[in-house]
Amino acid sequence: MTATKKEEPKDKDVKMGEASTAVAGKKTDKDGKPKKDDDDELSEEDQKLKDELEMLVVRLKESNSTLYKAALESLRTLIRTSTSSMTSVPKPLKFLRPHFHDLKAVFEKWAAGENKAFLADIISVLAMSYDDGKRECLKYRFLGASEPVGSWGHEYVRHLASELISEYNARAENGGDDVAGTPAKDNTPQIPTPELLKLALEIVPFCLKHNAEADACDLLLELEILDKLPQFVDKDTYGRVCLYITSMVPYVAPPDDVAILKTARVIYRAQSQWTQSILIALRINDLDLVKEDYESCTDPITKKQLAFIAARQQVFFETGSEEITEILNNTKLSENFMALARDLDVVEAKTPEDIYKSHLENSRHGHSAANVDSARQNLASTFVNAFVNIGFGSDKLMMNTEEGNSWIYKNKDLGMMSAAASLGAILLWDVEVGLTEIDKFLYSTDDNIKAGALLAIGLVSSGVRHESDPALGLLSEYVNSTTSVLRVAAIVGLGIAYAGSAREEVQDLLLPLVSDTGLTMELSSLAALSLGLVYVGTCHGDIASTILQTLMERDDETLKSPFGRFMGVGLGLLFLGKQDASEATLETLKVIENPLAKLVGVIVDICSYIGTGNVLKIQSMLHLCNDHLDKEKEDDSFQAFAVIGIALIAMGEDVGAEMAMRSFNHLMHYGEPVIRRAVPLALGVLCASNPLVNVLDILSKYSHDHDTDVALNAVFAMGLVGAGTNNARLAQMLRQLAVYYYKNPNVLFGVRIAQGLVHMGKGTVTLNPYHSNKTLLNPVAISGLITVLTAFTDAKTFIVDKAQAHYLLYFLVPATYPRFLMTLDENLKSIAVTVRVGQAVDTVGQAGRPKTITGFQTHSTPVLLAYSERAELATEEYIAVGTTLEGFVILKKNPEWMEEDSKDASK
């Protein structure tokens, strides 16, 4: 607040006085009373206080130094004992304001000593209500007697903290010079910066003790000394402090974001909160920190829970314990998923017709489009069947039927490959049974069926590790096969089976294919894509340089192949979430002069900043969408990726996602066709498995767009948004679209795929890559989604019209995970307990102990959790080992729980 503003009240007083004079003047005409003085408006009590304060100030101005101490103590008592409401200045500060400059003058005259320091403290407090930008509150605090900072009350501490921050920032701007709030002519000493930091560290414990954790964290963050925070945090405050600082991460520029996460991890480790600590280590994406947390933990049951958390993120490390390795391998995932299916009574296989519900498609066309036995419709049914029965190990088209083989023959060419591969999705996670079922197709004489079997082997191993490495053993011999389709299947199968594992054997097999310029662009690009998946987020130098080398060596004509973009995706995935680690690669791409380099550069940039919410990157993506290019002269496909990039970067936090949706609205209105086609895909990935009503309405509108490419992508996006939710409203929309597009086989194919996605896993799975209360991004899941979205940027080539690679839809399989909460006892056997499931509530920075869920219902585990839901235990009989009730959670018996408690509760 500036000095001019501070003078205003005086003017107002004058005006009010004039008004009262006018009123008094009128009264004088009638009853001759003298006009009222302004001071008479104060109550008797206030007048007495004002007089007392003025008398004390007069005493300080006198030359009799014996009175100073008593006067100062009286002032201190009056200031400290004054109460104030939230909206008004405390009375003593208000009455002392006119004397502020007098007291400063007195201070200058006095000789150094105890009284002078005492007066400085009082002036420091008065400066709170006389803020003229000189930061005098802070200046006089340092000249004072250094009483405990909290003794003057909470408001003073907050004011002092704000002045500390502005002083520190002013110094930073001036290159570290001391810019104390004192004018040059003042001969008071400048405050050294270490003294500022020392004062900050006095303020922090006060804030933490008085439930102002946010203030303490903000102060340390602004002064760039957040690493000092752990020493002040105790068992009562660590929860709120860590929740606050970790929720700040998306809004902080790198490298501060990682520094904040590391501070939170230090605090959690100090409090032995290993399950929280390992979540942070996974978020930093540092395997050494994950191992350190696992090894630091001494409790064997907590170690099992840590293994479950790491397994959900598909992170593997050697432990020496067979039981832990089994958890990390996700070996029991299939068994537990089937237990969930039995509990929910959804074991029975469903047919595509159960999903289409053609009898509800009030069709005017005599017979429904679903009954036409065309290869295209059968291919759609193949995918629907695979998605709906994913992981259940049984279906009615491919397995256990007399005409088991005949369904494959109802498809043609690559369709047969996708049909055979669908076995891998149906038997997902169950490697033992899966290989037995798939084995017979490996001996087929038809190359497409054989290729499908190879891809199925990759799919069935997705997300689980097997000590005998069947996928590597079976697929490696086909990588260099002479038949193209078998090579494609083996390459893609290896990528899916070993996604995120960074296996060197896979690199040795596939890297030569990337650099071999004699191969087709399809094979090279898919090899690069598979390597990107296997080495996701590792910044692997050899693979990156090989891909860059290939982009330089290949001639422009081959680089124009639609498959070229997958080479870019493979390169981008290497740098997934690594932010500025990709700068050297981006610089190299700028030098390469071919049409693909710009597209690849955009993909690498997006992948590096995925889920960070980095505003500058989102702006640069919007900027790329700004250009109206002539498609004949230059390639504009990079703009499609820029649009999807906005969604991928913003998906990390809610505010950014909300703003991205508004940007998409503008892009849809004003963008070129290539941009408009990508907008539905961006919306789809932004809200994967999270069917928000407003998003469904937008996509429903786009699904009737005059541009059929926009419509097709909108229909697929509707499937993504509702994936695995069984959303009834969405299912009805898709049935209406099936009737609307019955004459357009391309869009109808998309509608069928979307219907399969909505009922994916019979409503028990999710495609959303975020888990653990939306704090962790699963790199493998998002890689699968990016690959499928890339295929849809040119859907006519890959998926529908030419259908050169509809098997790319199976990249949704690595993103699939059951959306359950399963509670286990200490021996990892499933136990049923009651839990409350409700909408998650954001409790960051809220006072007290706010409820974390709202509008809950009580269920018995295992239960399904939607994207926006959270669970908490409804019984005190057990204590959860993990803090996040999601996926597999181990429960311990509560030692303080008594049988009587439950009887009382039931009564």
Side-chain angles (χ1 to χ4, degrees):
M1 206 181 272
T2 59
T4 48
K5 282 188 182 169
K6 278 297 175 188
E7 304 305 334
E8 280 173 16
K10 294 181 184 175
D11 296 348
K12 280 184 188 166
D13 289 350
V14 175
K15 283 173 186 162
M16 284 168 68
E18 286 167 8
S20 60
T21 312
V23 174
K26 284 178 190 169
K27 285 184 180 174
T28 316
D29 293 345
K30 284 188 179 179
D31 37 30
K33 284 185 181 173
K35 67 170 186 169
K36 279 194 170 186
D37 194 289
D38 215 17
D39 288 347
D40 292 352
E41 291 180 10
L42 292 174
S43 67
E44 210 173 303
E45 199 177 320
D46 288 355
Q47 186 62 50
K48 186 179 168 193
L49 175 62
K50 186 174 181 187
D51 293 344
E52 191 175 344
L53 290 166
E54 285 176 350
M55 179 198 70
L56 292 169
V57 172
V58 170
R59 276 200 192 155
L60 294 176
K61 289 180 187 171
E62 289 171 3
S63 52
N64 185 352
S65 57
T66 52
L67 299 173
Y68 294 168
K69 180 94 179 178
L72 289 167
E73 279 182 353
S74 302
L75 271 176
R76 177 171 65 182
T77 311
L78 287 169
I79 291 170
R80 282 191 184 170
T81 52
S82 67
T83 54
S84 68
S85 68
M86 291 294 282
T87 52
S88 67
V89 180
K91 294 266 171 40
L93 299 187
K94 186 175 166 187
F95 296 146
L96 286 169
R97 269 190 64 193
H99 305 288
F100 183 63
H101 291 296
D102 295 348
L103 288 172
K104 274 167 66 178
V106 168
F107 176 82
E108 298 303 336
K109 276 191 253 165
W110 284 7
E114 188 188 342
N115 286 346
K116 185 163 182 172
F118 200 157
L119 178 59
D121 277 339
I122 285 171
I123 297 176
S124 174
V125 177
L126 290 182
M128 235 189 350
S129 63
Y130 203 94
D131 188 358
D132 55 2
K134 290 184 183 168
R135 299 192 275 282
E136 289 180 311
C137 184
L138 182 63
K139 171 190 155 185
Y140 283 100
R141 165 76 197 169
F142 279 104
L143 296 171
S146 300
E147 288 194 25
V149 73
S151 61
W152 292 103
H154 198 262
E155 197 55 47
Y156 175 68
V157 173
R158 286 184 64 174
H159 192 85
L160 203 53
S162 71
E163 289 201 358
L164 259 176
I165 292 168
S166 46
E167 174 73 19
Y168 186 83
N169 290 341
R171 290 184 183 192
E173 281 168 25
N174 287 29
D177 301 333
D178 285 353
V179 198
T182 51
K185 62 183 181 191
D186 229 342
N187 46 17
T188 43
Q190 298 280 12
I191 311 160
T193 302
E195 288 295 311
L196 287 180
L197 303 181
K198 188 178 164 199
L199 176 61
L201 297 180
E202 285 174 34
I203 292 175
V204 169
F206 175 83
C207 291
L208 290 175
K209 200 182 288 180
H210 293 83
N211 295 335
E213 291 90 349
D215 293 349
C217 300
D218 288 344
L219 176 62
L220 292 180
L221 189 69
E222 289 284 354
L223 301 185
E224 299 171 342
I225 48 169
L226 193 67
D227 53 338
K228 299 275 193 289
L229 181 60
Q231 66 198 50
F232 301 109
V233 178
D234 60 17
K235 66 180 193 322
D236 301 320
T237 53
Y238 80 87
R240 288 162 57 88
V241 165
C242 289
L243 180 63
Y244 182 74
I245 60 174
T246 50
S247 65
M248 280 197 289
V249 171
Y251 307 105
V252 175
D256 291 348
D257 49 359
V258 177
I260 291 176
L261 287 173
K262 286 186 172 168
T263 304
R265 182 171 169 271
V266 169
I267 294 171
Y268 280 136
R269 283 174 64 83
Q271 300 297 330
S272 301
Q273 296 294 318
W274 304 112
T275 55
Q276 296 274 40
S277 175
I278 202 168
L279 282 173
I280 303 273
L282 287 166
R283 198 166 160 186
I284 298 170
N285 195 7
D286 186 331
L287 187 60
D288 294 335
L289 296 182
V290 175
K291 283 184 194 162
E292 188 187 339
D293 283 338
Y294 174 80
E295 282 156 12
S296 305
C297 174
T298 50
D299 178 33
I301 295 165
T302 309
K303 278 192 160 181
K304 290 178 192 173
Q305 183 66 60
L306 297 181
F308 276 123
I309 293 169
R312 173 68 181 96
Q313 189 71 349
Q314 295 184 22
V315 169
F316 182 82
F317 47 89
E318 292 298 335
T319 59
S321 156
E322 209 170 295
E323 191 177 26
I324 298 289
T325 304
E326 193 175 73
I327 296 171
L328 286 169
N329 286 344
N330 273 323
T331 315
K332 290 280 184 8
L333 185 56
S334 175
E335 189 185 307
N336 285 312
F337 183 57
M338 288 310 296
L340 171 80
R342 284 192 292 277
D343 198 82
L344 298 174
D345 198 20
V346 290
V347 177
E348 194 185 343
K350 287 194 167 189
T351 60
E353 181 50 41
D354 294 337
I355 303 306
Y356 301 158
K357 297 192 171 147
S358 310
H359 59 284
L360 297 177
E361 289 178 2
N362 51 17
S363 174
R364 300 184 297 275
H365 321 297
H367 60 273
S368 169
N371 299 334
V372 182
D373 205 12
S374 70
R376 174 71 60 84
Q377 282 302 315
N378 289 348
L379 179 61
S381 295
T382 299
F383 282 114
V384 170
N385 182 55
F387 290 145
V388 171
N389 297 306
I390 196 165
F392 283 90
S394 64
D395 77 318
K396 292 183 177 173
L397 291 188
M398 296 291 300
M399 293 167 63
N400 312 330
T401 51
E402 292 304 312
E403 45 169 14
N405 299 334
S406 67
W407 181 258
I408 291 184
Y409 294 110
K410 283 186 179 178
N411 296 277
K412 61 182 186 190
D413 305 337
L414 273 178
M416 295 164 96
M417 173 180 168
S418 284
S422 69
L423 273 172
I426 294 161
L427 294 156
L428 182 63
W429 306 315
D430 193 348
V431 181
E432 308 275 331
V433 176
L435 292 175
T436 317
E437 285 285 343
I438 296 162
D439 186 57
K440 55 178 180 266
F441 294 107
L442 280 172
Y443 305 107
S444 168
T445 49
D446 188 305
D447 282 339
N448 284 315
I449 297 176
K450 198 169 180 180
L454 294 175
L455 182 51
I457 291 167
L459 289 171
V460 83
S461 318
S462 170
V464 289
R465 293 170 72 96
H466 203 279
E467 54 274 12
S468 63
D469 273 338
L472 196 62
L474 291 163
L475 298 180
S476 53
E477 59 188 279
Y478 292 98
V479 168
N480 296 311
S481 159
T482 48
T483 316
S484 172
V485 68
L486 294 178
R487 294 184 86 169
V488 165
I491 290 165
V492 174
L494 280 170
I496 291 175
Y498 293 102
S501 66
R503 291 289 294 268
E504 280 183 22
E505 297 95 318
V506 181
Q507 183 195 339
D508 297 342
L509 278 169
L510 298 184
L511 204 53
L513 302 183
V514 178
S515 52
D516 186 348
T517 49
L519 288 177
T520 62
M521 198 62 189
E522 178 181 8
L523 283 170
S524 276
S525 296
L526 289 173
L529 174 67
S530 286
L531 282 171
L533 260 173
V534 174
Y535 282 86
V536 62
T538 57
C539 302
H540 196 287
D542 292 354
I543 301 173
S545 55
T546 306
I547 295 175
L548 287 169
Q549 195 65 34
T550 308
L551 287 172
M552 290 180 200
E553 289 171 2
R554 290 251 178 186
D555 57 72
D556 282 8
E557 214 38 57
T558 41
L559 288 173
K560 281 182 181 163
S561 154
F563 279 96
R565 63 195 68 196
F566 290 107
M567 194 168 270
V569 174
L571 182 58
L573 294 180
L574 294 173
F575 297 101
L576 193 91
K578 290 296 185 187
Q579 303 198 13
D580 45 13
S582 62
E583 275 179 10
T585 306
L586 287 169
E587 289 305 317
T588 314
L589 283 165
K590 283 177 190 166
V591 181
I592 302 174
E593 289 179 10
N594 65 40
L596 196 57
K598 185 161 190 183
L599 169 71
V600 175
V602 173
I603 296 174
V604 172
D605 213 6
I606 292 164
C607 290
S608 307
Y609 287 88
I610 200 159
T612 57
N614 188 307
V615 182
L616 297 174
K617 286 294 164 192
I618 293 176
Q619 284 173 349
S620 70
M621 293 298 146
L622 280 166
H623 193 70
L624 289 172
C625 301
N626 203 13
D627 304 329
H628 295 276
L629 303 172
D630 183 351
K631 201 165 184 186
E632 308 301 314
K633 292 180 189 159
E634 54 184 318
D635 185 29
D636 59 359
S637 53
F638 70 87
Q639 291 186 315
F641 286 93
V643 176
I644 295 169
I646 295 169
L648 291 172
I649 295 167
M651 73 195 298
E653 41 95 30
D654 298 340
V655 181
E658 193 73 33
M659 290 168 75
M661 282 189 201
R662 289 173 59 184
S663 303
F664 294 146
N665 194 13
H666 296 305
L667 290 172
M668 204 63 187
H669 279 295
Y670 307 113
E672 294 290 308
V674 64
I675 291 173
R676 295 184 75 246
R677 286 168 198 161
V679 168
L681 297 174
L683 281 167
V685 74
L686 196 59
C687 307
S689 296
N690 180 21
L692 298 170
V693 176
N694 60 328
V695 177
L696 290 183
D697 287 344
I698 294 168
L699 289 172
S700 173
K701 186 172 79 179
Y702 296 162
S703 66
H704 295 81
D705 198 273
H706 56 84
D707 180 346
T708 52
D709 290 343
V710 174
L712 173 63
N713 286 355
V715 168
F716 174 68
M718 287 165 90
L720 266 187
V721 169
T725 60
N726 280 351
N727 188 293
R729 183 165 182 261
L730 186 48
Q732 176 62 24
M733 280 181 188
L734 289 168
R735 278 197 293 275
Q736 287 165 351
L737 284 169
V739 176
Y740 184 78
Y741 283 114
Y742 85 105
K743 280 185 175 167
N744 184 330
N746 286 352
V747 184
L748 183 61
F749 180 82
V751 173
R752 296 306 184 206
I753 298 292
Q755 285 178 306
L757 288 176
V758 171
H759 298 280
M760 198 170 186
K762 301 172 202 163
T764 58
V765 298
T766 179
L767 287 181
N768 199 293
Y770 277 93
H771 60 95
S772 304
N773 274 352
K774 299 183 229 172
T775 54
L776 276 182
L777 176 72
N778 185 326
V780 174
I782 194 66
S783 306
L785 287 174
I786 292 171
T787 307
V788 177
L789 293 177
T790 306
F792 270 90
T793 54
D794 188 355
K796 283 201 167 140
T797 304
F798 296 122
I799 310 291
V800 285
D801 236 3
K802 299 178 188 167
Q804 288 181 6
H806 43 68
Y807 55 81
L808 290 169
L809 280 169
Y810 285 124
F811 274 95
L812 290 172
V813 171
T816 308
Y817 197 84
R819 56 187 184 94
F820 58 21
L821 161 63
M822 190 163 259
T823 44
L824 310 171
D825 64 11
E826 296 170 15
N827 301 317
L828 306 188
K829 296 278 177 283
S830 179
I831 49 173
V833 297
T834 49
V835 289
R836 289 188 280 265
V837 178
Q839 293 296 312
V841 178
D842 186 15
T843 57
V844 178
Q846 289 191 8
R849 290 191 180 163
K851 295 269 186 290
T852 53
I853 58 173
T854 178
F856 58 81
Q857 292 179 321
T858 307
H859 299 279
S860 178
T861 56
V863 293
L864 293 177
L865 297 176
Y867 173 75
S868 58
E869 287 179 335
R870 202 179 284 168
E872 57 182 41
L873 288 177
T875 167
E876 291 182 10
E877 186 178 352
Y878 294 97
I879 299 172
V881 175
T883 42
T884 312
L885 293 193
E886 210 175 289
F888 295 103
V889 177
I890 302 173
L891 302 181
K892 286 182 184 174
K893 272 276 193 193
N894 183 350
E896 294 171 11
W897 189 80
M898 312 279 283
E899 273 304 326
E900 288 75 38
D901 293 355
S902 61
K903 288 174 187 167
D904 293 345
S906 59
K907 284 176 190 172

